[in-house]
Amino acid sequence: MNKIISLAVAMGFMAGMPAFAAAVPPQEQDKEELKLQLPKPMFIGTPRNITSPNLERITGKPRGAFFVPAGTKLVSLNKPVTASDMQPVIGEVGYVTDGEKAGEDGYFVEFGPGKQSVQVDLKAPYELQAIVVWHYHSQARVYRDVIVQVSDDEDFITGVTTIFNNDHDNSSGLGIGKDKEYIETYEGKLFDPRGVKARYVRLWSNGNTSNDMNHYVEVEVYATPTQ
Amino acid sequence: MNKKAFAGLFLLTALGAAGFRLADLDLRPVHHDEANQALKFGALLEKGEYRYDKTDHHGPSLYYLTLMFARALGRNTLAELDETTLRLVPACFGIGTILLLLLFIPMIGKKAVLWSALGLAVSPVMVYFSRFYIQEALLLFFLVAAVAALWRYLLKPSWGWAMATGLFCGMMYATKETSVIAFGSIAAAFLLAHLTMGTREKESAQTRNTADPQKQDPGERQTERSDRRSRKPRSGIRWAHLILGLGSALLVSLLLFTSFFENPKGWLDSLLSFKVYFVRAGEGGFHVHPWSYYLRTLAFSKTGSGPLWSEAFILLLACVGGVAAFHRRHHDNRNFPFRKFILFYTLFSTAAYSLVPYKTPWNILPFYIGFILLAGCGAASLLDICRKSLCRALVIVLLAAGFFHLGVQAYRGSLDEPANPRNPYVYAQTSPDFLKLIHRVEDLAALHPDGDRMLIKVVAGPYETWPLPWYLRRFSRVGYWTDAGEAGGPGEAAVIISDTEQADRLESLFNKSFLSEYYGLRPNVFLVLHIRSDLWEKFLKSSPGKT
């Protein structure tokens, strides 16, 4: 009985083979998968433990000159700041516009994890010429989902202009951004608002490559009076 | 201290130590060195291949011992392995080291053993590196076992202790070739302890078998009784025992270094490795630190606005224990040379490790165990000195506060902030952000027609490559290049991972068809994930964000 079953299975298998072969495209019937020998990783000892900033090496060339209309002034110094997290983990909200840009502890404000924002009220509408942001620069970091928006509306419901957005996967939910991520340096990141008129500047971030927290050393807004 | 109280307290200490060492072993991202070791072990697990490398990665014991754990847990391939399985090995040896302290009861007494066990259980550095898949926890275990066996042999010579001493010395050598520093320190300490023995100590050592057992604690009286049963005149080290010990050490190291005789030159290579490690120790490279690095790290460490880390409590107690080693009245005659031995071992090994320019925090373990034993003796001595109950209560409260503070730091260091650069034992540690890169790659592979067979190109320097091979172990088509030119264009690769240096060069080959994301590998070191546009579009459609 077992022999009969085995014979039937074998015959069925042989009968099925041509059907299987027919299913394979003709040009691939006499081919086989090219199995590439990929290079293996090199074993190597403990890497360098970098504890001090080495920003020059990472940033490469310094930022070039940025030209603004004559009469452009810093208009954000000591202007009121609000934040999505008004009880920072470290520092105070006011650090954002206090004019101190040192990288050491004591000069930055740390907000809680995840998506957070700060908003600077320039107290009057201006034609914005440059926005420079220092998130944190005592260590090389990339801040995620950096979004810079300006508006004349304090609640950012109407008249919102997005200056910069590198939230490429829309994880912050403000729309997909096409701008690139960047490494924080002592130079800060300069955003070009191209003279857009606004009173409020709002900046978003969503953690960074070192931890999930959000930091600001300083935000500077350079502008000219409205025409 | 009665037997039941001791047993209960020691058991509690061991359980606490196990809790610190076994909880959430997969919490910390895999370190570069751990990944190297894991991949080497993977070859042994899957193909039975292990060849001792005299230039790096130390001895073979870690791999062969891991094999036992992996088999017991039913892990037969690299892909089946996980962080918990690997880190279970050092964690179990870390707990084992505490249990080994029981062997020191005849030398330092139950109280000192108990305090030492508590120090070892809650020491932040000991806990941290007992959860780290490298050789240090194993080296510490074999070091403590070898010293215990040696002194038990000296108390009561027997072929068993002779063989055990040899076996554990052999395992020390097969764990880390640099164990020669510990061997040298043991020999020098032993010699000095012998030389500094006064006439009275020598006499009491000779007549110790006739000492009044009522003056010792019950555990020691038991040993004393068994000593009297043997009642043989002490004859020091016997030649047959010496040969047995040396033979055991040689055999175990020979078996492991030669991969059980499959690689006959492995043992010779282990000797040749001294040249490599000697040069490395002198040059130091990335890892040159000032002589005070270890003691400073242990005593006081604070980075920026981060919390204070300190094991100064152990260091201070060790000073008390060191002073007590020279004061006869605080312990019985038999303990006297051993405490001196521990003191000298601690001094010699700390000096040796501190003078070597090459320093990494895990090298603290082999000499810090001396401090912990001395601290245990110090704590016991302090309580002995205090005869009044108020004074004893005050000392107990201070000791409890000190050990509690260590425990808090151990928790913070290993379970709360195990990858925070402000933790002094975090050294070239993989950033948690790196795990986001791995999750992204896994998400992309799930959308790719080839799934886990998706071709992934890694173009990064060797120091920026690890621990990628560990985390990408379940992908069957991963290639590693160190130069963008050699890697060629993207070809069919939809995912390329590079370091920042190679990223610029790769972008010129991509023709803007890739999107790039930064991820932190270690502090100040980034990896760039390049994703082909079509796969990225597919990803965005599958997970459209919050809007």
Side-chain angles (χ1 to χ4, degrees), chain B residues 359-389:
Chain B
K359 292 183 183 72
T360 49
W362 44 84
N363 282 326
I364 286 175
L365 270 59
F367 69 83
Y368 193 50
I369 184 66
F371 280 100
I372 288 176
L373 283 169
L374 282 175
C377 296
S381 298
L382 278 178
L383 287 169
D384 281 350
I385 292 166
C386 297
R387 298 288 178 193
K388 290 182 180 173
S389 54

Side-chain angles (χ1 to χ4, degrees), chain A residues 33 46 105 140 144 168 181, chain B residues 33 305 433 453 517-518 524:
Chain A
E33 184 192 347
T46 312
D105 282 358
R144 299 245 158 77
H168 54 278
E181 294 178 333
Chain B
D33 290 12
S305 58
D433 195 60
R453 284 186 46 75
E517 294 181 313
Y518 279 106
N524 291 307

Side-chain angles (χ1 to χ4, degrees), chain B residues 229-439:
Chain B
R229 276 199 295 276
S230 62
R231 192 56 83 176
K232 288 176 185 170
R234 190 162 184 257
S235 57
I237 298 169
R238 298 170 191 171
W239 283 109
H241 290 168
L242 186 66
I243 291 166
L244 185 65
L246 289 174
S248 305
L250 187 66
L251 183 66
V252 74
S253 61
L254 202 64
L255 281 173
L256 291 172
F257 276 113
T258 62
S259 312
F260 294 88
F261 302 117
E262 283 183 7
N263 174 30
K265 64 191 274 286
W267 197 82
L268 183 65
D269 279 346
S270 76
L271 297 179
L272 295 173
S273 75
F274 288 127
K275 186 184 169 189
V276 176
Y277 286 108
F278 186 75
V279 170
R280 190 174 300 163
E283 291 175 346
F286 302 151
H287 308 292
V288 171
H289 295 284
W291 71 268
S292 58
Y293 170 78
Y294 292 132
L295 290 175
R296 200 162 27 85
T297 303
L298 288 166
F300 180 90
S301 191
K302 192 175 189 314
T303 308
S305 58
L308 167 71
W309 301 80
S310 175
E311 300 200 30
F313 175 68
I314 292 278
L315 301 181
L316 289 172
L317 273 182
C319 290
V320 177
V323 172
F326 286 91
H327 286 77
R328 179 183 296 271
R329 68 192 177 96
H330 300 310
H331 44 77
D332 66 287
N333 291 332
R334 176 191 289 187
N335 302 339
F336 200 70
F338 180 75
R339 292 191 188 206
K340 275 188 180 175
F341 163 80
I342 289 296
L343 172 65
F344 294 138
Y345 168 79
T346 306
L347 293 174
F348 285 130
S349 57
T350 305
Y353 278 101
S354 296
L355 289 173
V356 172
Y358 181 102
K359 292 183 183 72
T360 49
W362 44 84
N363 282 326
I364 286 175
L365 270 59
F367 69 83
Y368 193 50
I369 184 66
F371 280 100
I372 288 176
L373 283 169
L374 282 175
C377 296
S381 298
L382 278 178
L383 287 169
D384 281 350
I385 292 166
C386 297
R387 298 288 178 193
K388 290 182 180 173
S389 54
L390 185 67
C391 178
R392 283 174 74 87
L394 187 68
V395 171
I396 287 173
V397 167
L398 286 174
L399 289 174
F403 284 111
F404 179 76
H405 181 236
L406 287 173
V408 168
Q409 291 181 83
Y411 176 84
R412 192 171 67 206
S414 292
L415 293 162
D416 195 26
E417 300 177 3
N420 189 335
R422 290 178 171 178
N423 176 342
Y425 306 121
V426 167
Y427 190 85
Q429 169 63 39
T430 307
S431 163
D433 195 60
F434 171 83
L435 300 180
K436 292 179 183 167
L437 182 152
I438 300 302
H439 292 150

Side-chain angles (χ1 to χ4, degrees), chain A residues 33 38-39 41-50 58 105 139-140 144 168-171 173 181 209 212, chain B residues 32-33 36 56 286-287 304-305 427-428 431 433 436 440 453 463 466 480 517-519 524 526 536 546-547:
Chain A
E33 184 192 347
L38 296 169
M42 287 168 62
F43 286 102
I44 196 154
T46 312
R48 180 197 295 265
N49 182 46
I50 303 173
I58 293 170
D105 282 358
Q139 182 192 57
R144 299 245 158 77
H168 54 278
D169 60 358
N170 198 24
S171 48
E181 294 178 333
T209 49
D212 290 333
Chain B
H32 170 111
D33 290 12
N36 268 253
D56 220 329
F286 302 151
H287 308 292
S305 58
Y427 190 85
S431 163
D433 195 60
K436 292 179 183 167
R440 183 75 99 198
R453 284 186 46 75
Y463 287 115
W466 298 88
Y480 295 87
E517 294 181 313
Y518 279 106
Y519 290 93
N524 291 307
F526 297 95
W536 180 249
K546 291 178 183 172
T547 50

